[in-house]
Amino acid sequence: RSNPLQRRVHGGCVAKRNFPSMEGEAEKKYTTHDFSADQKWQSYLNNLYPMPPMNKMDKFKRKWFKQNVDSNLSLEPPVAPQAAPRPSAQSYSTGSASYSAPPSSTPTAPPKLASLANLQVALYLLMILCGFLYLIPLLGMESAQSFYRRMILCAMAASAVNLVSQFGMPKFSQDYLRVILMDDSAHFLFYCLVFYSSQPISAAMAPLVITALINMADQLKAVLPVFAPAIYSKLSGRIQQVIANRMLLLQYRGLIEVVLAFVLIVFSFTPAGSFLTAMMYLQFVRLRYMISAFTRSACHDVGAKIDGWLAYPMVPGLLRTGWNKIKSLLAGFVNTDQQASQRPSCTIM
């Protein structure tokens, strides 16, 4: 009995199994497979940590599909046939003279990523300018609040541009949503929505400014050496300084995020505060706690600090009891079952 995978000779011709057609059928099944409705794929995707970026998602999909649905699928996507290159110039001769037509030049747009980077830097600079005019109302007190709103809008636009530059245009798919929810820009897009509808809060500007400095440093380091080397030579020291202190800036940002939650909760019981804003912001902190290691670390640090303050003998026991109940409530608010199984519970949230 012959092996079906073994080559056989018929009339001097070598015949073998038609593997390309099997791969083609597997490719068709892969492209028509509804991954959003496949519970096994969704379970596999939920267990991936960290979440792969959107441009690597196809690789994970193919690997899972090959192992669980059709083993004939190729791990490499099919390569589209390339069109024949157009001639750069056309030559023709008349008698003894020969002529060469100039090559057809198609105007090329600047690189997409460079354009988005320039737009993002411009939005961040405008955001910082609006924040400055809010804190120091050079144009009058009446316009200060409008500059606060404009600052928030610029931050929202910059976050949206950053998401597009990393993950492409928005797609109506669970995979795309799951990937962008792992990114800081999506978190701060929601952050801006929370504070745009609230009364101006100066402390809320600090995380936005820190985020702007970090992202601008990354964008300028990538763009300026190519498009403006003279400017980069003057700013390179400052840019490198921000990049070198990135971890420290992120720690400060996480600490401000947690402290701001307490400020909003306290202010929600005053006429100037809003209970709805406080609840929406707690949702933001909950998301940050599940994704950002810096926010989780800030939760531990702030919780330990408050525990230390309340440990003094002169502190009434009623305060300690109340704080322990608040800790339990906040811990139940931010910790899902999945987070509880994967990470240690937070001492404050």
Side-chain angles (χ1 to χ4, degrees):
R1 187 175 180 179
S2 61
N3 190 338
L5 300 180
Q6 187 179 10
R7 294 185 177 184
R8 291 171 294 180
V9 179
H10 297 282
C13 297
V14 178
K16 61 180 179 179
R17 192 173 179 178
N18 190 4
F19 290 102
S21 63
M22 299 177 65
E23 289 185 357
E25 292 296 327
E27 186 69 31
K28 289 181 181 179
K29 291 170 61 177
Y30 171 76
T31 54
T32 58
H33 189 76
D34 188 1
F35 284 91
S36 62
D38 194 319
Q39 295 299 323
K40 292 182 178 179
W41 159 253
Q42 294 297 331
S43 176
Y44 170 79
L45 187 61
N46 289 333
N47 290 324
L48 288 178
Y49 187 84
M51 184 66 65
M54 203 64 184
N55 57 353
K56 300 291 181 63
M57 187 62 69
D58 185 67
K59 177 181 178 181
F60 286 85
K61 280 186 174 182
R62 287 181 173 275
K63 181 179 178 182
W64 179 88
F65 193 90
K66 185 178 180 69
Q67 292 177 347
N68 296 274
V69 181
D70 195 330
S71 60
N72 294 313
L73 180 69
S74 173
L75 294 177
E76 297 296 330
V79 180
Q82 297 182 353
R86 296 178 61 182
S88 59
Q90 294 180 352
S91 301
Y92 59 95
S93 61
T94 58
S96 60
S98 61
Y99 302 87
S100 179
S104 59
S105 60
T106 304
T108 57
K112 180 181 178 182
L113 291 180
S115 300
L116 292 175
N118 294 336
L119 177 59
Q120 189 177 358
V121 170
L123 288 169
Y124 278 133
L125 290 175
L126 186 59
M127 183 204 81
I128 293 174
L129 176 62
C130 292
F132 176 80
L133 292 176
Y134 164 70
L135 294 175
I136 304 177
L138 299 177
L139 302 180
M141 293 298 297
E142 295 181 357
S143 61
Q145 285 201 4
S146 66
F147 280 112
Y148 178 85
R149 309 288 180 202
R150 293 170 188 173
M151 179 201 69
I152 298 293
L153 287 175
C154 290
M156 290 174 62
S159 298
V161 169
N162 194 25
L163 287 174
V164 172
S165 66
Q166 292 187 78
F167 307 109
M169 296 300 294
K171 302 178 181 64
F172 295 99
S173 68
Q174 293 182 2
D175 295 341
Y176 183 86
L177 181 62
R178 187 176 286 108
V179 170
I180 66 170
L181 284 179
M182 303 292 292
D183 192 84
D184 279 0
S185 295
H187 303 168
F188 281 93
L189 193 60
F190 177 67
Y191 180 94
C192 293
L193 290 173
V194 172
F195 287 103
Y196 182 78
S197 58
S198 69
Q199 291 294 324
I201 301 174
S202 300
M205 299 166 56
L208 296 178
V209 173
I210 293 175
T211 303
L213 290 175
I214 294 173
N215 289 341
M216 277 198 302
D218 291 337
Q219 301 292 356
L220 292 176
K221 183 180 179 182
V223 173
L224 284 184
V226 178
F227 295 95
I231 299 178
Y232 179 73
S233 63
K234 297 179 181 180
L235 298 178
S236 59
R238 298 294 183 184
I239 293 173
Q240 293 297 336
Q241 187 177 6
V242 173
I243 294 175
N245 292 290
R246 174 196 294 270
M247 303 301 289
L248 183 60
L249 290 172
L250 291 174
Q251 290 174 5
Y252 284 147
R253 189 180 70 177
L255 182 61
I256 295 171
E257 291 170 5
V258 175
V259 172
L260 193 55
F262 285 96
V263 173
L264 290 176
I265 291 174
V266 172
F267 269 88
S268 66
F269 295 99
T270 66
S274 170
F275 183 76
L276 178 61
T277 300
M279 291 298 100
M280 291 177 64
Y281 185 77
L282 285 178
Q283 290 292 342
F284 166 79
V285 174
R286 180 176 186 266
L287 176 63
R288 295 292 291 164
Y289 174 77
M290 294 192 302
I291 303 298
S292 172
F294 298 100
T295 304
R296 286 196 303 275
S297 177
C299 288
H300 287 283
D301 294 341
V302 173
K305 198 72 174 177
I306 296 177
D307 286 339
W309 291 339
L310 296 179
Y312 287 105
M314 71 232 7
V315 176
L318 182 63
L319 286 180
R320 283 192 291 268
T321 303
W323 167 240
N324 290 330
K325 290 184 177 180
I326 291 174
K327 279 200 305 182
S328 300
L329 289 174
L330 293 176
F333 176 73
V334 299
N335 286 332
T336 62
D337 293 337
Q338 180 180 358
Q339 294 298 322
S341 62
Q342 292 182 355
R343 301 186 181 99
S345 60
C346 180
T347 59
I348 176 175
M349 294 245 179

